[in-house]
Amino acid sequence: MTVDNPYRDLPSVDQLAAELEASPLPWPLVVDAVRSALEQSRQDIEEGRQVDPRRKAEDLLRTLERSDATQVINATGVLLHTNLGRAVWSAPAIEHAANVAANYTNVEIDVETGQRTRRGSYVSALLKTLTGAEDALIVNNNAAGLLLALAATSAGKAVPVARGELIEIGGSYRLPDVMEASGSRLVEIGTTNRTRADDYATALQLHRCGSILKVHPSNYRVEGFAEETSVAKLAGLARSGDIPLIYDIGSGLLDADTPWLDIATPAWLRGEPAARQSLAAGADLVTFSGDKLLGGPQAGIIVGTAGAVSILRKHPLARALRVDGVTYAALAATLGAYAARDIGQIPFWRQALMSKKDLAERASEMANRLGGRLEDGQSTIGAGSVPGMTIASPVVVLADEDHLYESLLGAEVPILTRRESGSLVIDLRTVDPVFDQSIMDTIDLCR
Ligand SMILES: *Cc1c(COP(=O)(O)O)cnc(C)c1O
């Protein structure tokens, strides 16, 4: 008489893997998933649960397959969504970058002379003309830019920062942690809502400071009884202490006068710090992201005086944080659109400036077709840019029945929508019009 042994009924790794041969994933990943599924199944047997190793392996493989980078449709109305990759590249940026990726390139060669040169001189030239900077340097992202600026100027020294500017941004960015990693010492000054020039002056007297750091609180706004010290005043203090003023403006607005927009500066952009004006007011180093308002690739852009930038360029971290030719190519094309005053090339600006009328037309067609309502909504800039500011957008509102939100996430090209008090909001401002039809088809299919 044999005792039933459920462990014996489990298939072997080879058997189960062979059953899953049709998976599009590379074979070693299939085998790994099968091993995990069998291990979990043994655990299930031990704990008296239902056992289905094949189903488990299929679930693991599906989750894995869907974690590979893939296109999604952003119907959330958040223009710069950090979890969705922030800015979409312009067509010229994609073309330029693809050409560089596919070939050997002149990343560090002067093709006039055949001599070795510095990376990124073309991008620097564009940044100089667009912001009035004397020099520019590109690193991996804005966090890296700030890390480098602090390490090169202030390692082992103190850096005063206003308490109201000690920011945390989504995606694990905390200013105090970046400062600590740079080897500089944060000296908190002032209060949450008010920091005056005197607070900085006192810090400069009490501590051996390597720089003054000003940070744009890019995802919140201190309102009411608030006071911050102007860039010009801080620059004066920094100069008298013979140290640089570093200003992290965050979002990458090149010029507050927006000469590259054919229209007056939009209301939602007013008050956003800009590189040109910050430099003109006396900041020595201004840092910002490439993939926020600038509308380009992930990058940290540092513009500033020739002296200050050259100190950063010589620091070993500059080598560790440098970017590749593909990023330079995408940046060159993106900045080129500003220089050519052809901002319509850049998806971020196309979306941000899309008229309410055009949006209303698209949204009402979609609402009619899907039996939804057309409502007044608000798009947000996101990614810690222009805090509290929104752009009015007509949106499509549907009943979120039968888990429509989840079904749309599960679509072949996942569609991200906004859930608001039991309804599903589709904001077409962040959707390229070529996808309108496929959104409607997918929703029809899901219902
Ligand atoms: C977004 C932001 C950062 C981080 O920039 P990354 O490019 O994501 O590294 C840092 N500081 C400010 C003020 C920001 O807005």
Side-chain angles (χ1 to χ4, degrees), residues 23-52:
S23 166
L25 291 179
W27 187 243
L29 287 180
V30 176
V31 174
D32 284 350
V34 164
R35 280 190 215 285
S36 311
L38 289 172
E39 203 165 295
Q40 285 175 28
S41 299
R42 279 189 284 273
Q43 189 78 26
D44 287 342
I45 293 171
E46 204 167 299
E47 289 164 22
R49 280 191 297 263
Q50 200 71 359
V51 183
D52 190 346

PDB file of all heavy atoms in Angstrom, residues 23-52:
ATOM      1  N   SER A  23       6.521  30.584 -24.322  1.00  0.00           N
ATOM      2  CA  SER A  23       6.735  31.921 -23.743  1.00  0.00           C
ATOM      3  C   SER A  23       7.718  32.723 -24.593  1.00  0.00           C
ATOM      4  O   SER A  23       8.725  32.194 -25.047  1.00  0.00           O
ATOM      5  CB  SER A  23       7.292  31.790 -22.315  1.00  0.00           C
ATOM      6  OG  SER A  23       7.792  33.036 -21.885  1.00  0.00           O
ATOM      7  N   PRO A  24       7.423  34.016 -24.807  1.00  0.00           N
ATOM      8  CA  PRO A  24       8.328  34.839 -25.614  1.00  0.00           C
ATOM      9  C   PRO A  24       9.604  35.238 -24.871  1.00  0.00           C
ATOM     10  O   PRO A  24      10.517  35.800 -25.463  1.00  0.00           O
ATOM     11  CB  PRO A  24       7.483  36.088 -25.924  1.00  0.00           C
ATOM     12  CG  PRO A  24       6.475  36.160 -24.833  1.00  0.00           C
ATOM     13  CD  PRO A  24       6.220  34.758 -24.382  1.00  0.00           C
ATOM     14  N   LEU A  25       9.666  34.920 -23.577  1.00  0.00           N
ATOM     15  CA  LEU A  25      10.843  35.342 -22.807  1.00  0.00           C
ATOM     16  C   LEU A  25      12.028  34.414 -23.071  1.00  0.00           C
ATOM     17  O   LEU A  25      11.842  33.251 -23.431  1.00  0.00           O
ATOM     18  CB  LEU A  25      10.504  35.333 -21.311  1.00  0.00           C
ATOM     19  CG  LEU A  25       9.522  36.399 -20.845  1.00  0.00           C
ATOM     20  CD1 LEU A  25       9.243  36.262 -19.354  1.00  0.00           C
ATOM     21  CD2 LEU A  25      10.068  37.787 -21.137  1.00  0.00           C
ATOM     22  N   PRO A  26      13.241  34.902 -22.860  1.00  0.00           N
ATOM     23  CA  PRO A  26      14.425  34.065 -23.037  1.00  0.00           C
ATOM     24  C   PRO A  26      14.357  32.829 -22.138  1.00  0.00           C
ATOM     25  O   PRO A  26      13.895  32.900 -20.998  1.00  0.00           O
ATOM     26  CB  PRO A  26      15.586  34.975 -22.628  1.00  0.00           C
ATOM     27  CG  PRO A  26      15.066  36.368 -22.731  1.00  0.00           C
ATOM     28  CD  PRO A  26      13.593  36.284 -22.486  1.00  0.00           C
ATOM     29  N   TRP A  27      14.837  31.721 -22.661  1.00  0.00           N
ATOM     30  CA  TRP A  27      14.723  30.422 -21.996  1.00  0.00           C
ATOM     31  C   TRP A  27      15.217  30.432 -20.543  1.00  0.00           C
ATOM     32  O   TRP A  27      14.540  29.907 -19.645  1.00  0.00           O
ATOM     33  CB  TRP A  27      15.465  29.382 -22.845  1.00  0.00           C
ATOM     34  CG  TRP A  27      15.280  27.982 -22.371  1.00  0.00           C
ATOM     35  CD1 TRP A  27      16.248  27.129 -21.908  1.00  0.00           C
ATOM     36  CD2 TRP A  27      14.049  27.260 -22.291  1.00  0.00           C
ATOM     37  NE1 TRP A  27      15.705  25.935 -21.554  1.00  0.00           N
ATOM     38  CE2 TRP A  27      14.347  25.989 -21.777  1.00  0.00           C
ATOM     39  CE3 TRP A  27      12.711  27.578 -22.598  1.00  0.00           C
ATOM     40  CZ2 TRP A  27      13.371  25.026 -21.559  1.00  0.00           C
ATOM     41  CZ3 TRP A  27      11.747  26.618 -22.377  1.00  0.00           C
ATOM     42  CH2 TRP A  27      12.075  25.362 -21.876  1.00  0.00           C
ATOM     43  N   PRO A  28      16.382  31.037 -20.248  1.00  0.00           N
ATOM     44  CA  PRO A  28      16.848  31.015 -18.855  1.00  0.00           C
ATOM     45  C   PRO A  28      15.862  31.691 -17.888  1.00  0.00           C
ATOM     46  O   PRO A  28      15.755  31.274 -16.731  1.00  0.00           O
ATOM     47  CB  PRO A  28      18.160  31.809 -18.889  1.00  0.00           C
ATOM     48  CG  PRO A  28      18.604  31.751 -20.302  1.00  0.00           C
ATOM     49  CD  PRO A  28      17.362  31.686 -21.133  1.00  0.00           C
ATOM     50  N   LEU A  29      15.138  32.685 -18.363  1.00  0.00           N
ATOM     51  CA  LEU A  29      14.142  33.328 -17.497  1.00  0.00           C
ATOM     52  C   LEU A  29      12.957  32.399 -17.257  1.00  0.00           C
ATOM     53  O   LEU A  29      12.374  32.362 -16.174  1.00  0.00           O
ATOM     54  CB  LEU A  29      13.646  34.641 -18.102  1.00  0.00           C
ATOM     55  CG  LEU A  29      14.623  35.820 -18.079  1.00  0.00           C
ATOM     56  CD1 LEU A  29      13.991  37.060 -18.713  1.00  0.00           C
ATOM     57  CD2 LEU A  29      15.043  36.133 -16.654  1.00  0.00           C
ATOM     58  N   VAL A  30      12.604  31.622 -18.300  1.00  0.00           N
ATOM     59  CA  VAL A  30      11.511  30.651 -18.154  1.00  0.00           C
ATOM     60  C   VAL A  30      11.900  29.613 -17.106  1.00  0.00           C
ATOM     61  O   VAL A  30      11.117  29.296 -16.193  1.00  0.00           O
ATOM     62  CB  VAL A  30      11.204  29.970 -19.513  1.00  0.00           C
ATOM     63  CG1 VAL A  30      10.143  28.886 -19.338  1.00  0.00           C
ATOM     64  CG2 VAL A  30      10.763  31.006 -20.547  1.00  0.00           C
ATOM     65  N   VAL A  31      13.130  29.138 -17.196  1.00  0.00           N
ATOM     66  CA  VAL A  31      13.588  28.104 -16.247  1.00  0.00           C
ATOM     67  C   VAL A  31      13.609  28.676 -14.826  1.00  0.00           C
ATOM     68  O   VAL A  31      13.174  28.019 -13.875  1.00  0.00           O
ATOM     69  CB  VAL A  31      14.981  27.569 -16.663  1.00  0.00           C
ATOM     70  CG1 VAL A  31      15.525  26.623 -15.606  1.00  0.00           C
ATOM     71  CG2 VAL A  31      14.886  26.888 -18.030  1.00  0.00           C
ATOM     72  N   ASP A  32      14.076  29.910 -14.685  1.00  0.00           N
ATOM     73  CA  ASP A  32      14.080  30.540 -13.353  1.00  0.00           C
ATOM     74  C   ASP A  32      12.667  30.633 -12.788  1.00  0.00           C
ATOM     75  O   ASP A  32      12.437  30.360 -11.603  1.00  0.00           O
ATOM     76  CB  ASP A  32      14.664  31.968 -13.425  1.00  0.00           C
ATOM     77  CG  ASP A  32      16.174  31.958 -13.561  1.00  0.00           C
ATOM     78  OD1 ASP A  32      16.776  30.873 -13.409  1.00  0.00           O
ATOM     79  OD2 ASP A  32      16.740  33.029 -13.836  1.00  0.00           O
ATOM     80  N   ALA A  33      11.717  31.029 -13.649  1.00  0.00           N
ATOM     81  CA  ALA A  33      10.330  31.171 -13.186  1.00  0.00           C
ATOM     82  C   ALA A  33       9.783  29.808 -12.772  1.00  0.00           C
ATOM     83  O   ALA A  33       9.065  29.696 -11.768  1.00  0.00           O
ATOM     84  CB  ALA A  33       9.467  31.781 -14.294  1.00  0.00           C
ATOM     85  N   VAL A  34      10.117  28.772 -13.532  1.00  0.00           N
ATOM     86  CA  VAL A  34       9.647  27.422 -13.207  1.00  0.00           C
ATOM     87  C   VAL A  34      10.203  26.974 -11.862  1.00  0.00           C
ATOM     88  O   VAL A  34       9.479  26.425 -11.025  1.00  0.00           O
ATOM     89  CB  VAL A  34      10.051  26.448 -14.341  1.00  0.00           C
ATOM     90  CG1 VAL A  34       9.936  25.003 -13.876  1.00  0.00           C
ATOM     91  CG2 VAL A  34       9.192  26.699 -15.574  1.00  0.00           C
ATOM     92  N   ARG A  35      11.483  27.239 -11.636  1.00  0.00           N
ATOM     93  CA  ARG A  35      12.083  26.878 -10.339  1.00  0.00           C
ATOM     94  C   ARG A  35      11.361  27.582  -9.189  1.00  0.00           C
ATOM     95  O   ARG A  35      11.033  26.948  -8.179  1.00  0.00           O
ATOM     96  CB  ARG A  35      13.553  27.293 -10.307  1.00  0.00           C
ATOM     97  CG  ARG A  35      14.472  26.333 -11.011  1.00  0.00           C
ATOM     98  CD  ARG A  35      15.939  26.691 -10.707  1.00  0.00           C
ATOM     99  NE  ARG A  35      16.788  26.423 -11.850  1.00  0.00           N
ATOM    100  CZ  ARG A  35      17.159  25.203 -12.216  1.00  0.00           C
ATOM    101  NH1 ARG A  35      16.771  24.154 -11.525  1.00  0.00           N
ATOM    102  NH2 ARG A  35      17.914  25.035 -13.284  1.00  0.00           N
ATOM    103  N   SER A  36      11.103  28.895  -9.345  1.00  0.00           N
ATOM    104  CA  SER A  36      10.401  29.615  -8.269  1.00  0.00           C
ATOM    105  C   SER A  36       9.009  29.057  -8.065  1.00  0.00           C
ATOM    106  O   SER A  36       8.536  28.919  -6.928  1.00  0.00           O
ATOM    107  CB  SER A  36      10.239  31.096  -8.584  1.00  0.00           C
ATOM    108  OG  SER A  36      11.412  31.656  -8.978  1.00  0.00           O
ATOM    109  N   ALA A  37       8.324  28.752  -9.189  1.00  0.00           N
ATOM    110  CA  ALA A  37       6.944  28.247  -9.086  1.00  0.00           C
ATOM    111  C   ALA A  37       6.931  26.916  -8.349  1.00  0.00           C
ATOM    112  O   ALA A  37       6.052  26.672  -7.513  1.00  0.00           O
ATOM    113  CB  ALA A  37       6.339  28.106 -10.480  1.00  0.00           C
ATOM    114  N   LEU A  38       7.911  26.066  -8.636  1.00  0.00           N
ATOM    115  CA  LEU A  38       7.946  24.759  -7.968  1.00  0.00           C
ATOM    116  C   LEU A  38       8.276  24.908  -6.487  1.00  0.00           C
ATOM    117  O   LEU A  38       7.713  24.226  -5.633  1.00  0.00           O
ATOM    118  CB  LEU A  38       8.965  23.835  -8.664  1.00  0.00           C
ATOM    119  CG  LEU A  38       8.519  23.347 -10.047  1.00  0.00           C
ATOM    120  CD1 LEU A  38       9.647  22.604 -10.758  1.00  0.00           C
ATOM    121  CD2 LEU A  38       7.284  22.443  -9.923  1.00  0.00           C
ATOM    122  N   GLU A  39       9.156  25.840  -6.201  1.00  0.00           N
ATOM    123  CA  GLU A  39       9.506  26.085  -4.809  1.00  0.00           C
ATOM    124  C   GLU A  39       8.280  26.564  -4.034  1.00  0.00           C
ATOM    125  O   GLU A  39       7.991  26.087  -2.936  1.00  0.00           O
ATOM    126  CB  GLU A  39      10.595  27.141  -4.768  1.00  0.00           C
ATOM    127  CG  GLU A  39      11.438  27.122  -3.515  1.00  0.00           C
ATOM    128  CD  GLU A  39      12.694  27.944  -3.743  1.00  0.00           C
ATOM    129  OE1 GLU A  39      13.530  27.555  -4.586  1.00  0.00           O
ATOM    130  OE2 GLU A  39      12.782  29.005  -3.109  1.00  0.00           O
ATOM    131  N   GLN A  40       7.555  27.508  -4.645  1.00  0.00           N
ATOM    132  CA  GLN A  40       6.347  28.013  -3.991  1.00  0.00           C
ATOM    133  C   GLN A  40       5.309  26.907  -3.836  1.00  0.00           C
ATOM    134  O   GLN A  40       4.575  26.860  -2.843  1.00  0.00           O
ATOM    135  CB  GLN A  40       5.751  29.185  -4.783  1.00  0.00           C
ATOM    136  CG  GLN A  40       6.536  30.478  -4.607  1.00  0.00           C
ATOM    137  CD  GLN A  40       6.000  31.587  -5.502  1.00  0.00           C
ATOM    138  OE1 GLN A  40       4.829  31.602  -5.849  1.00  0.00           O
ATOM    139  NE2 GLN A  40       6.869  32.509  -5.879  1.00  0.00           N
ATOM    140  N   SER A  41       5.261  26.020  -4.830  1.00  0.00           N
ATOM    141  CA  SER A  41       4.285  24.917  -4.762  1.00  0.00           C
ATOM    142  C   SER A  41       4.614  23.985  -3.601  1.00  0.00           C
ATOM    143  O   SER A  41       3.714  23.491  -2.915  1.00  0.00           O
ATOM    144  CB  SER A  41       4.278  24.131  -6.080  1.00  0.00           C
ATOM    145  OG  SER A  41       3.899  24.974  -7.132  1.00  0.00           O
ATOM    146  N   ARG A  42       5.913  23.728  -3.404  1.00  0.00           N
ATOM    147  CA  ARG A  42       6.284  22.886  -2.252  1.00  0.00           C
ATOM    148  C   ARG A  42       5.862  23.543  -0.939  1.00  0.00           C
ATOM    149  O   ARG A  42       5.377  22.888  -0.031  1.00  0.00           O
ATOM    150  CB  ARG A  42       7.804  22.609  -2.274  1.00  0.00           C
ATOM    151  CG  ARG A  42       8.161  21.475  -3.245  1.00  0.00           C
ATOM    152  CD  ARG A  42       9.615  21.052  -3.109  1.00  0.00           C
ATOM    153  NE  ARG A  42      10.515  22.007  -3.720  1.00  0.00           N
ATOM    154  CZ  ARG A  42      10.860  21.977  -5.008  1.00  0.00           C
ATOM    155  NH1 ARG A  42      10.410  21.029  -5.801  1.00  0.00           N
ATOM    156  NH2 ARG A  42      11.667  22.879  -5.484  1.00  0.00           N
ATOM    157  N   GLN A  43       6.036  24.856  -0.901  1.00  0.00           N
ATOM    158  CA  GLN A  43       5.598  25.616   0.275  1.00  0.00           C
ATOM    159  C   GLN A  43       4.078  25.477   0.453  1.00  0.00           C
ATOM    160  O   GLN A  43       3.577  25.262   1.560  1.00  0.00           O
ATOM    161  CB  GLN A  43       5.961  27.089   0.056  1.00  0.00           C
ATOM    162  CG  GLN A  43       5.784  27.983   1.257  1.00  0.00           C
ATOM    163  CD  GLN A  43       6.946  27.808   2.235  1.00  0.00           C
ATOM    164  OE1 GLN A  43       8.049  27.436   1.825  1.00  0.00           O
ATOM    165  NE2 GLN A  43       6.677  28.019   3.504  1.00  0.00           N
ATOM    166  N   ASP A  44       3.353  25.577  -0.679  1.00  0.00           N
ATOM    167  CA  ASP A  44       1.892  25.456  -0.635  1.00  0.00           C
ATOM    168  C   ASP A  44       1.476  24.088  -0.091  1.00  0.00           C
ATOM    169  O   ASP A  44       0.535  23.969   0.701  1.00  0.00           O
ATOM    170  CB  ASP A  44       1.290  25.645  -2.036  1.00  0.00           C
ATOM    171  CG  ASP A  44       1.337  27.107  -2.477  1.00  0.00           C
ATOM    172  OD1 ASP A  44       1.508  27.977  -1.598  1.00  0.00           O
ATOM    173  OD2 ASP A  44       1.208  27.377  -3.693  1.00  0.00           O
ATOM    174  N   ILE A  45       2.183  23.034  -0.532  1.00  0.00           N
ATOM    175  CA  ILE A  45       1.854  21.681  -0.055  1.00  0.00           C
ATOM    176  C   ILE A  45       2.061  21.615   1.455  1.00  0.00           C
ATOM    177  O   ILE A  45       1.206  21.139   2.205  1.00  0.00           O
ATOM    178  CB  ILE A  45       2.747  20.628  -0.759  1.00  0.00           C
ATOM    179  CG1 ILE A  45       2.394  20.563  -2.261  1.00  0.00           C
ATOM    180  CG2 ILE A  45       2.578  19.257  -0.095  1.00  0.00           C
ATOM    181  CD1 ILE A  45       3.347  19.713  -3.083  1.00  0.00           C
ATOM    182  N   GLU A  46       3.221  22.163   1.858  1.00  0.00           N
ATOM    183  CA  GLU A  46       3.561  22.135   3.280  1.00  0.00           C
ATOM    184  C   GLU A  46       2.471  22.798   4.109  1.00  0.00           C
ATOM    185  O   GLU A  46       2.144  22.349   5.204  1.00  0.00           O
ATOM    186  CB  GLU A  46       4.866  22.897   3.461  1.00  0.00           C
ATOM    187  CG  GLU A  46       5.655  22.520   4.695  1.00  0.00           C
ATOM    188  CD  GLU A  46       7.054  23.118   4.577  1.00  0.00           C
ATOM    189  OE1 GLU A  46       7.781  22.779   3.624  1.00  0.00           O
ATOM    190  OE2 GLU A  46       7.363  23.961   5.424  1.00  0.00           O
ATOM    191  N   GLU A  47       1.928  23.890   3.566  1.00  0.00           N
ATOM    192  CA  GLU A  47       0.943  24.644   4.341  1.00  0.00           C
ATOM    193  C   GLU A  47      -0.497  24.281   3.975  1.00  0.00           C
ATOM    194  O   GLU A  47      -1.436  25.000   4.320  1.00  0.00           O
ATOM    195  CB  GLU A  47       1.207  26.153   4.174  1.00  0.00           C
ATOM    196  CG  GLU A  47       2.487  26.552   4.918  1.00  0.00           C
ATOM    197  CD  GLU A  47       3.050  27.897   4.515  1.00  0.00           C
ATOM    198  OE1 GLU A  47       2.272  28.718   3.978  1.00  0.00           O
ATOM    199  OE2 GLU A  47       4.243  28.118   4.724  1.00  0.00           O
ATOM    200  N   GLY A  48      -0.637  23.192   3.224  1.00  0.00           N
ATOM    201  CA  GLY A  48      -1.957  22.656   2.958  1.00  0.00           C
ATOM    202  C   GLY A  48      -2.796  23.468   1.990  1.00  0.00           C
ATOM    203  O   GLY A  48      -4.018  23.482   2.066  1.00  0.00           O
ATOM    204  N   ARG A  49      -2.136  24.216   1.097  1.00  0.00           N
ATOM    205  CA  ARG A  49      -2.898  25.011   0.132  1.00  0.00           C
ATOM    206  C   ARG A  49      -3.032  24.271  -1.187  1.00  0.00           C
ATOM    207  O   ARG A  49      -2.325  23.295  -1.454  1.00  0.00           O
ATOM    208  CB  ARG A  49      -2.200  26.358  -0.101  1.00  0.00           C
ATOM    209  CG  ARG A  49      -2.470  27.381   0.985  1.00  0.00           C
ATOM    210  CD  ARG A  49      -1.979  28.754   0.564  1.00  0.00           C
ATOM    211  NE  ARG A  49      -0.541  28.761   0.364  1.00  0.00           N
ATOM    212  CZ  ARG A  49       0.348  29.172   1.279  1.00  0.00           C
ATOM    213  NH1 ARG A  49      -0.063  29.591   2.459  1.00  0.00           N
ATOM    214  NH2 ARG A  49       1.635  29.142   1.033  1.00  0.00           N
ATOM    215  N   GLN A  50      -3.918  24.761  -1.996  1.00  0.00           N
ATOM    216  CA  GLN A  50      -4.136  24.281  -3.361  1.00  0.00           C
ATOM    217  C   GLN A  50      -2.839  24.447  -4.172  1.00  0.00           C
ATOM    218  O   GLN A  50      -2.155  25.447  -4.009  1.00  0.00           O
ATOM    219  CB  GLN A  50      -5.247  25.154  -3.956  1.00  0.00           C
ATOM    220  CG  GLN A  50      -5.956  24.589  -5.138  1.00  0.00           C
ATOM    221  CD  GLN A  50      -6.867  23.415  -4.765  1.00  0.00           C
ATOM    222  OE1 GLN A  50      -6.972  22.992  -3.599  1.00  0.00           O
ATOM    223  NE2 GLN A  50      -7.504  22.869  -5.766  1.00  0.00           N
ATOM    224  N   VAL A  51      -2.509  23.488  -5.012  1.00  0.00           N
ATOM    225  CA  VAL A  51      -1.242  23.555  -5.738  1.00  0.00           C
ATOM    226  C   VAL A  51      -1.472  23.586  -7.245  1.00  0.00           C
ATOM    227  O   VAL A  51      -2.186  22.740  -7.779  1.00  0.00           O
ATOM    228  CB  VAL A  51      -0.365  22.322  -5.404  1.00  0.00           C
ATOM    229  CG1 VAL A  51       0.986  22.436  -6.096  1.00  0.00           C
ATOM    230  CG2 VAL A  51      -0.188  22.207  -3.907  1.00  0.00           C
ATOM    231  N   ASP A  52      -0.891  24.583  -7.911  1.00  0.00           N
ATOM    232  CA  ASP A  52      -0.988  24.642  -9.368  1.00  0.00           C
ATOM    233  C   ASP A  52       0.299  25.261  -9.933  1.00  0.00           C
ATOM    234  O   ASP A  52       0.347  26.443 -10.258  1.00  0.00           O
ATOM    235  CB  ASP A  52      -2.214  25.491  -9.768  1.00  0.00           C
ATOM    236  CG  ASP A  52      -2.505  25.392 -11.263  1.00  0.00           C
ATOM    237  OD1 ASP A  52      -1.616  24.895 -12.006  1.00  0.00           O
ATOM    238  OD2 ASP A  52      -3.597  25.811 -11.682  1.00  0.00           O
TER     239      ASP A  52
END
